[in-house]
Amino acid sequence: MLNTNFEFWDYLIFGLYAVMIIAVGLWVSRGKKGVQKTTEDYFLASKSLPWWAIGASLIAANISAEQFIGMSGSGFAVGLAIASYEFMAALTLIIVGKFFLPVFIKQGLYTIPEFVEKRFSKNLKTILAVFWIALFVFVNLTSVLFLGAKAIDTIIGTGNGDLFIPSIVCLAFVAAAYSIYGGLSAVAWTDVIQVALLIIGGVITTLIALDNVLPGGGVVEGFKHVVDTAEDKFHMIISKDNPEFKNLPGIAVLVGGLWVANLYYWGFNQYIIQRTLAAKSLKEAQRGIAFAAFLKLIVPLIVVVPGIVAFVMYTETKDPSVTAMFEMTGGNDKAYPWLIGTFVPTGLKGLVLAALAAAIVSSLASMLNSTSTIFTMDIYKPYINRGASHKKLVNVGRLTAAAALIIAGFIAPLMANFDQMFVYIQEYTGLVSPGILAVFLMGLFWKKTTNRGAIIGVLVSIPVALLLKFLPIQMPFLDQMMYTFLLTMVTIGMVSLATCETDDDPKGLVLTSELFKTDKVFNICAYIICILLAVIYTLCW
């Protein structure tokens, strides 16, 4: 019997989740009586986060509707190959912890644009700050609200949009209720609860899906059946004749543009890296990064495998009600909500929806906090009110977060219903990420890089990316990102050599081997992750 209704116990569990998150967020963000929050308290959680809170918060900020909905949809369409985004992210996190974090923490940063000012110039910092604010509001916040509302409408409602707008309002309210008041402290500590909830809910959905794919067969037999039936969807590297090659271009995924996407996202994305800047120490930040890397290896199990299971169910089912349910909701990105709405029983359905909401709300809260941090510290303070007090800056941060959420909430319903939202987000973010990554890497590790070279490189990268995108040759977008990145680096290098009046740029960073030394725990974790990745790709090549 298919369970398609959301019942009393489901509403109760979901409601309790919302109340618990808001209450915990407000409780941990309370201040001492008569003591005013400083900018460090609000934007960097008083630099008090331990490794386990950093790791959990990194994953909670990362995993959202984009993964649960979008990546499951890509799992339905492509298979396990889409999990390269997750598996390679684990290795990327180790690189970020080893080579990027020591520099950022030594600089005592609040924001990533602040590093740009110290290494290059105030003008370039402002350009990138404005870009990131626009990206967070018009792409990240909007897409998370859109996908989250679409999922809730599918699970609770009819799937025809009746609950779409109320869902946007509900998600926005829960995220705003604690994050706008409490800042990063409220976001990070509630993320510990949210990441536990989203993993538990994700595992429950996967197990129930496998148990139902082969009636009476159980989870193990169900998994064997999925592998036997959809064997071609369990390859990490897809062939050129695969219709999805344009999104995941074979071996180039491992040696090409995916590195651009991951290094940009995990190394220079404010709402990700901000957690590590709030660590008690560099050692705690690096251990938190390693913990997050292990969690990333679990993510494909709870977001990609359900999409493959949904594909098998849909293609071989003889139950017209199943077919009708899926066709009514339609689209690859409805695979995950369809599994929840159709097969998860009463009570557990509320828990699973709470897990999905946790992923969405934690990401919204993270993006709001980072948007307000960049605007307040990189736009408002230097350009509008240089002498602003801590109280004034914190209030401006709160108002900025509220404004960003309102704007995203109005735009979200206007978004088109793309077939694979995860791929869409990656592709359009990829128009600008190669140029920014090139600037940061050259600025970090090549002392001759000049401000003029960096600015010209950023400005050149976008038309190069657009040119590659609209060439008559249908080039995979990951390849476009790699070529844009390489051409931008060449541009920066040539301009820098032509404009650097001394042997090295005066603002070039002096880096020593001592800066990049890591402790035994981090090193052991790095080796284990590399071995696990080698095994995964060998078994599923």
Side-chain angles (χ1 to χ4, degrees):
M1 178 68 179
L2 296 178
N3 180 17
T4 57
N5 296 316
F6 215 67
E7 298 182 9
F8 169 77
W9 291 108
D10 300 307
Y11 284 111
L12 178 63
I13 292 171
F14 184 69
L16 288 174
Y17 149 75
V19 171
M20 176 184 67
I21 290 300
I22 293 173
V24 170
L26 293 176
W27 184 76
V28 299
S29 60
R30 73 199 188 286
K32 293 180 181 179
K33 189 174 181 180
V35 178
Q36 175 61 43
K37 279 183 182 287
T38 66
T39 51
E40 185 175 287
D41 295 331
Y42 187 78
F43 296 118
L44 292 182
S46 305
K47 289 195 174 182
S48 62
L49 296 183
W51 65 268
W52 48 272
I54 292 168
S57 189
L58 281 168
I59 298 304
N62 167 241
I63 300 178
S64 181
E66 182 181 338
Q67 274 73 23
F68 269 109
I69 309 305
M71 193 169 274
S72 289
S74 294
F76 185 100
V78 184
L80 196 61
I82 196 67
S84 280
Y85 277 96
E86 305 303 306
F87 291 139
M88 298 308 293
L91 184 56
T92 305
L93 280 163
I94 297 301
I95 293 172
V96 170
K98 175 77 174 178
F99 296 108
F100 297 175
L101 274 191
V103 181
F104 292 158
I105 290 179
K106 183 181 178 181
Q107 296 281 327
L109 305 178
Y110 276 81
T111 69
I112 291 299
E114 188 181 353
F115 169 78
V116 176
E117 180 177 15
K118 290 184 176 184
R119 176 59 181 87
F120 295 113
S121 68
K122 191 174 182 179
N123 288 338
L124 183 57
K125 178 202 76 169
T126 305
I127 291 170
L128 293 182
V130 171
F131 156 74
W132 267 309
I133 291 171
L135 182 68
F136 288 157
V137 174
F138 296 105
V139 177
N140 296 127
L141 282 168
T142 306
S143 62
V144 169
L145 281 172
F146 175 79
L147 284 171
K150 188 166 72 169
I152 293 174
D153 178 60
T154 301
I155 296 166
I156 300 179
T158 62
N160 291 325
D162 297 343
L163 294 180
F164 182 74
I165 299 299
S167 297
I168 287 178
V169 174
C170 179
L171 291 170
F173 172 78
V174 175
Y178 67 91
S179 65
I180 290 178
Y181 172 75
L184 184 60
S185 180
V187 173
W189 289 110
T190 53
D191 280 350
V192 175
I193 299 172
Q194 310 236 56
V195 79
L197 187 59
L198 69 87
I199 289 175
I200 291 170
V203 169
I204 287 173
T205 302
T206 301
L207 293 177
I208 289 175
L210 290 171
D211 188 53
N212 279 275
V213 72
L214 190 66
V219 172
V220 175
E221 291 301 317
F223 181 72
K224 290 179 180 178
H225 177 70
V226 171
V227 173
D228 292 339
T229 305
E231 190 273 338
D232 61 319
K233 289 190 179 292
F234 282 88
H235 296 301
M236 295 300 302
I237 307 299
I238 61 178
S239 60
K240 200 165 186 176
D241 58 356
N242 191 304
E244 295 298 330
F245 186 82
K246 65 182 184 298
N247 295 325
L248 292 164
I251 193 69
V253 170
L254 300 186
V255 296
L258 187 54
W259 280 108
V260 177
N262 273 335
L263 285 171
Y264 163 78
Y265 180 86
W266 293 102
F268 306 109
N269 188 332
Q270 177 68 26
Y271 83 83
I272 292 296
I273 209 71
Q274 191 165 342
R275 281 121 180 83
T276 61
L277 301 179
K280 290 180 178 179
S281 64
L282 174 59
K283 182 186 290 185
E284 289 289 302
Q286 289 173 326
R287 291 182 178 184
I289 282 268
F291 178 42
F294 279 112
L295 293 177
K296 285 302 282 182
L297 297 179
I298 302 173
V299 172
L301 175 66
I302 62 177
V303 300
V304 179
V305 172
I308 301 174
V309 174
F311 172 81
V312 173
M313 285 181 170
Y314 177 66
T315 54
E316 70 177 18
T317 184
K318 296 180 180 179
D319 187 339
S321 62
V322 174
T323 305
M325 178 67 174
F326 193 81
E327 290 180 347
M328 179 180 68
T329 58
N332 296 330
D333 284 341
K334 291 296 183 72
Y336 196 86
W338 172 71
L339 285 175
I340 297 174
T342 306
F343 296 103
V344 177
T346 297
L348 282 180
K349 188 180 293 186
L351 178 63
V352 169
L353 182 61
L356 178 59
I360 297 164
V361 167
S362 61
S363 293
L364 287 173
S366 300
M367 293 168 189
L368 289 172
N369 184 255
S370 293
T371 303
S372 68
T373 304
I374 291 177
F375 178 81
T376 304
M377 304 305 293
D378 295 319
I379 303 294
Y380 180 80
K381 185 177 180 181
Y383 289 105
I384 301 174
N385 190 351
R386 292 185 180 182
S389 64
H390 285 292
K391 181 178 181 180
K392 181 68 174 179
L393 293 174
V394 169
N395 287 336
V396 168
R398 288 168 174 160
L399 290 173
T400 302
L405 187 59
I406 291 170
I407 292 169
F410 276 107
I411 295 174
L414 304 178
M415 293 189 72
N417 189 4
F418 291 93
D419 189 44
Q420 293 185 56
M421 182 62 79
F422 179 79
V423 172
Y424 160 75
I425 293 168
Q426 300 303 321
E427 183 172 354
Y428 283 90
T429 302
L431 289 175
V432 291
S433 57
I436 294 173
L437 177 64
V439 166
F440 274 101
L441 291 183
M442 298 281 280
L444 278 170
F445 302 115
W446 196 46
K447 289 188 287 185
K448 291 184 183 295
T449 308
T450 64
N451 177 56
R452 184 175 296 179
I455 290 176
I456 292 176
V458 166
L459 295 177
V460 165
S461 68
I462 296 177
V464 168
L466 290 170
L467 178 64
L468 292 174
K469 179 176 176 60
F470 293 109
L471 279 176
I473 305 171
Q474 293 297 310
M475 185 186 299
F477 77 87
L478 285 176
D479 289 348
Q480 296 169 24
M481 290 175 67
M482 176 53 73
Y483 293 136
T484 303
F485 170 70
L486 294 175
L487 289 170
T488 303
M489 289 192 72
V490 170
T491 302
I492 294 172
M494 293 174 64
V495 175
S496 294
L497 289 173
T499 58
C500 191
E501 298 176 355
T502 57
D503 288 341
D504 295 323
D505 185 76
K507 288 190 173 183
L509 301 178
V510 178
L511 305 177
T512 64
S513 59
E514 287 293 319
L515 185 64
F516 301 112
K517 284 188 176 180
T518 47
D519 71 343
K520 187 180 293 185
V521 173
F522 180 85
N523 293 337
I524 291 172
C525 290
Y527 286 127
I528 292 173
I529 286 166
C530 289
I531 292 169
L532 289 174
L533 286 172
V535 171
I536 290 170
Y537 275 91
T538 300
L539 293 176
C540 302
W541 187 264

